[in-house]
Amino acid sequence: MKQTEQQFLKELENKLWTAADKLRSSLDASQYKHAVLGLIFVKYVSDAFKLRQEEIKADLANPQHEYYLDPADFSEEELAAEIAIELEQRDYYTEKNVFWLPIESRWQFLQDNGPVVIGGADLDIGGKTKKITSVGHLIDNALEAIERDNTKIKGALNKSYSGLQIDQAKLNELINLIATIPFIHADLNSKDILGHVYEYMLGQFALAEGKKGGQFYTPASIVTLIVEMIEPFEGRVYDPAMGSGGFFVQSDKFIERYAGKNEIDPITQKRKISIYGQEYNHTTWQLAAMNMAIRGLDYDFGKEPASTYTNVQHPDLRADFIMANPPFNMKEWNTGVDDNDPRFKYGQPPANNANFAWMQHMLHHLSADGSQALLLANGSMSSTTNNEGTIRQALIENDLIECMVALPGQLFTNTQIPACIWFLTKNKTARTDKAGRKLRARKGEVLFIDARNLGYMKDRVLRDFSFDDIQKVADLYHAWKTGVEVNGIAYEDQAGFCKSATLEEITKHDFVLTPGRYVGATEELDDGIPFGDKMATLTAKLSEQFAESATLEAEIKKNLVGLGYEL
């Protein structure tokens, strides 16, 4: 991204968050999040509608276009009336994948009538009079109309503005604030701007909500790392704990980057992926649906928000790519789950920790050549309590583990629990994957990457990855999988960073998968002496000091006895 574009987005971020936070007053961050993001969605679809209107006007005035209206065939008044009729034809919008908006859902209507309805008013909407009792009711009415006329997002919009405990004048101020978001820029398209604003706001609300906020938001850099490693280029993409849909957004961005590098049409390539998701929390499910809609992504999030454990929304799905950041160490997950559930073929997960329930659910829905990645707490790599060690051993012995990545601390807004990424596959044979990479046979091998020293502190409490960090890990992983150089990087074990281990080595470590056990220490310290040599020297010196200590102790005892003290 150009520096001017970055500056534009940065200024937009600061302006919006500062102003929006001032309007929050006593409203809880979790409620305000939906108030802000819902209005941003309406502003975006309204701007897209308006842009399409301008295109239609130009087509109607263009003699070379099939929509052309010849002024010679109409009086001035008739032509104006005919243009007005044509601009209200739904098909002109839907054919370009633009949401059709009835009058009451258009942003100008909200802005014009916000001050009017603060105390309640009768409004003329499409020739019919409707009683609107408040600004919140005005917004709810707009959202209901969008859902009514666009069945694809029915139930996805959070129509609860009427019940918000917020001053109606402040809600009207929020409308006027969001009206200033410029979804038009010389070098950025409207979806890029809106998507950036939406993602930024999600991150800020996650910070504001603390632990609870992390339920719907995974830091973008971690999602990007997983996506760059797993490369969801075409096929079925699934997230069984999707939150606000971050993995799908980054998959979309990955395809754009990949298409750009390989001179492929990104729109054509995006049609080759199918998005499937599931989410238990209703309002988060709505956030994800809006997140997809503003990017024009087709998706299937099931019939309703539901528990992945007891009400699977995609029972027959076998996905090519599965990515998830499920809740860490979730307790009491198995209420209502059958003890003979076929998903848990590698062992029954303990009731007090869902880590291996998530993992096996994903494996159950993974295609024969598919790849999956999930974030879990570090304990998943070494725990032996309540059957977890047995399940991990079964996964290893069935050669399902492909790569383990240890992450730095302080990456998450909602938890300080150290985390890792598991990468699994059912097929380690030599083949060509969906991204066109020729993979070597990797049977009986697992790659360990210790990324705990990567990243930078973005502020006093949060760590982040740069794209260079992400690229370094992803290129190393692909070089290991292919056996050839990737972006100039050829795979080799690096002490303190990465190690390709065999199942025999892992067995010797009692099936513990902590990367630090395998990668060892850094090859050289600051003084240039190899760690192994230095350790041998230090051990020998320590032995000498112990011997000297024993000699001194014996001499002291001898002197004390000579002085008449009994020991």
Side-chain angles (χ1 to χ4, degrees):
M1 193 180 289
K2 298 175 185 175
Q3 191 170 356
T4 53
E5 296 168 11
Q6 291 177 336
Q7 185 65 25
F8 166 79
L9 292 174
K10 189 69 179 173
E11 289 174 358
L12 186 59
E13 287 174 2
N14 292 337
K15 171 186 173 184
L16 280 173
W17 180 254
T18 301
D21 204 42
K22 282 181 183 175
L23 292 178
R24 179 152 68 98
S25 185
S26 60
L27 198 64
D28 182 74
S30 61
Q31 290 180 294
Y32 194 59
K33 166 184 70 194
H34 295 286
V36 172
L37 293 174
L39 279 172
I40 288 175
F41 174 77
V42 177
K43 176 66 163 64
Y44 168 71
V45 294
S46 188
D47 278 18
F49 182 87
K50 191 174 179 180
L51 284 171
R52 179 62 185 144
Q53 270 194 331
E54 296 304 317
E55 290 174 0
I56 296 166
K57 281 182 185 177
D59 292 340
L60 294 172
N62 181 3
Q64 306 303 316
H65 201 279
E66 60 177 317
Y67 296 163
Y68 176 60
L69 294 177
D70 190 341
D73 297 337
F74 304 91
S75 69
E76 190 173 331
E77 293 79 9
E78 288 173 335
L79 181 61
E82 190 65 28
I83 290 173
I85 292 170
E86 291 296 306
L87 290 177
E88 295 297 319
Q89 297 303 307
R90 180 194 183 99
D91 289 348
Y92 287 150
Y93 301 88
T94 55
E95 71 181 5
K96 293 293 185 179
N97 202 26
V98 172
F99 282 91
W100 161 256
L101 297 186
I103 292 170
E104 64 264 42
S105 300
R106 298 172 195 176
W107 195 263
Q108 196 60 53
F109 186 87
L110 294 182
Q111 267 200 287
D112 290 345
N113 289 289
V116 176
V117 300
I118 286 177
D122 292 328
L123 296 183
D124 180 2
I125 302 176
K128 295 181 180 180
T129 300
K130 187 167 185 176
K131 177 72 173 177
I132 301 295
T133 58
S134 65
V135 179
H137 185 196
L138 181 73
I139 299 169
D140 286 340
N141 186 64
L143 294 171
E144 285 167 6
I146 293 173
E147 283 194 354
R148 183 183 65 236
D149 283 15
N150 299 274
T151 55
K152 181 181 174 182
I153 59 166
K154 188 168 181 62
L157 304 182
N158 194 21
K159 305 175 290 295
S160 58
Y161 287 81
S162 297
L164 288 178
Q165 299 300 310
I166 185 172
D167 180 81
Q168 292 299 296
K170 282 189 175 292
L171 196 50
N172 190 58
E173 281 184 63
L174 186 59
I175 291 174
N176 290 325
L177 166 67
I178 291 172
T180 66
I181 301 177
F183 288 137
I184 301 171
H185 184 270
D187 299 310
L188 292 166
N189 66 47
S190 58
K191 285 182 181 177
D192 287 338
I193 297 170
L194 186 279
H196 184 90
V197 168
Y198 197 90
E199 190 171 314
Y200 172 76
M201 286 294 199
L202 280 172
Q204 290 300 107
F205 279 118
L207 283 170
E209 289 185 72
K211 186 174 182 179
K212 187 179 178 183
Q215 292 176 3
F216 67 88
Y217 183 77
T218 306
S221 63
I222 302 176
V223 177
T224 304
L225 173 62
I226 289 174
V227 168
E228 286 290 326
M229 292 178 73
I230 210 169
E231 296 190 307
F233 191 61
E234 66 177 64
R236 298 171 296 275
V237 181
Y238 175 47
D239 183 347
M242 68 182 179
S244 55
F247 281 110
F248 304 134
V249 171
Q250 288 301 330
S251 296
D252 183 59
K253 291 180 180 179
F254 166 77
I255 289 173
E256 289 182 352
R257 288 194 296 271
Y258 189 96
K261 288 179 187 175
N262 294 277
E263 298 182 352
I264 299 170
D265 176 36
I267 296 174
T268 301
Q269 191 59 48
K270 287 179 186 182
R271 293 193 185 114
K272 295 181 181 180
I273 68 165
S274 304
I275 291 171
Y276 299 87
Q278 181 155 350
E279 172 59 41
Y280 177 73
N281 183 286
H282 185 266
T283 51
T284 306
W285 186 81
Q286 291 175 314
L287 283 179
M290 285 194 293
N291 212 356
M292 299 302 100
I294 60 180
R295 290 172 169 84
L297 297 174
D298 287 326
Y299 61 91
D300 181 350
F301 291 165
K303 295 178 181 178
E304 59 189 348
S307 166
T308 304
Y309 304 125
T310 57
N311 189 4
V312 179
Q313 294 292 293
H314 311 288
D316 300 321
L317 175 65
R318 295 297 178 267
D320 302 293
F321 304 97
I322 306 181
M323 299 170 281
N325 172 23
F328 289 175
N329 306 327
M330 186 176 177
K331 301 183 188 307
E332 299 177 5
W333 61 273
N334 61 340
T335 303
V337 177
D338 189 337
D339 288 342
N340 298 313
D341 194 308
R343 289 176 292 181
F344 306 134
K345 64 183 289 186
Y346 300 103
Q348 187 67 28
N352 66 345
N353 196 319
N355 288 342
F356 287 102
W358 286 109
M359 188 179 297
Q360 292 189 81
H361 170 85
M362 292 166 70
L363 275 169
H364 180 77
H365 289 281
L366 189 67
S367 67
D369 293 335
S371 299
Q372 74 177 53
L374 74 161
L375 276 160
L376 287 178
N378 276 0
S380 62
M381 298 188 289
S382 58
S383 171
T384 57
T385 58
N386 298 322
N387 210 36
E388 290 185 333
T390 304
I391 298 172
R392 189 172 57 253
Q393 179 176 337
L395 296 172
I396 293 166
E397 290 177 338
N398 281 276
D399 207 10
L400 296 166
I401 315 297
E402 178 140 78
C403 178
M404 299 295 301
V405 179
L407 296 172
Q410 296 178 269
L411 285 172
F412 298 89
T413 58
N414 61 316
T415 181
Q416 292 302 310
I417 298 174
C420 59
I421 312 173
W422 292 63
F423 291 86
L424 294 89
T425 184
K426 295 178 179 178
N427 186 357
K428 291 185 181 179
T429 60
R431 59 189 174 88
T432 301
D433 69 10
K434 288 187 178 292
R437 295 191 188 275
K438 292 183 178 179
L439 307 180
R440 66 180 181 86
R442 305 169 315 285
K443 287 189 174 182
E445 298 178 39
V446 177
L447 176 62
F448 291 91
I449 300 175
D450 190 342
R452 289 177 297 172
N453 292 323
L454 295 183
Y456 65 97
M457 295 303 294
K458 63 189 294 186
D459 56 38
R460 289 184 303 153
V461 294
L462 278 177
R463 195 172 187 85
D464 206 355
F465 285 131
S466 68
F467 197 76
D468 286 342
D469 293 325
I470 291 168
Q471 204 68 58
K472 176 182 179 180
V473 175
D475 287 347
L476 187 79
Y477 176 57
H478 297 309
W480 175 79
K481 287 176 73 175
T482 59
V484 298
E485 284 191 6
V486 175
N487 292 330
I489 293 178
Y491 180 79
E492 60 179 4
D493 292 344
Q494 300 175 40
F497 183 55
C498 63
K499 163 75 174 177
S500 182
T502 63
L503 295 188
E504 289 76 15
E505 290 175 275
I506 296 171
T507 302
K508 288 177 183 176
H509 282 282
D510 295 323
F511 302 100
V512 170
L513 293 176
T514 307
R517 289 233 182 168
Y518 301 90
V519 303
T522 306
E523 191 66 35
E524 292 189 356
L525 300 177
D526 292 341
D527 55 11
I529 301 172
F531 178 81
D533 294 347
K534 174 168 277 194
M535 193 65 188
T537 302
L538 290 170
T539 303
K541 187 172 183 180
L542 185 61
S543 296
E544 289 175 11
Q545 289 173 337
F546 280 154
E548 186 178 345
S549 173
T551 302
L552 288 171
E553 184 181 351
E555 190 66 29
I556 290 169
K557 286 181 177 179
K558 180 181 176 183
N559 291 336
L560 287 171
V561 170
L563 292 171
Y565 290 97
E566 292 185 12
L567 297 176

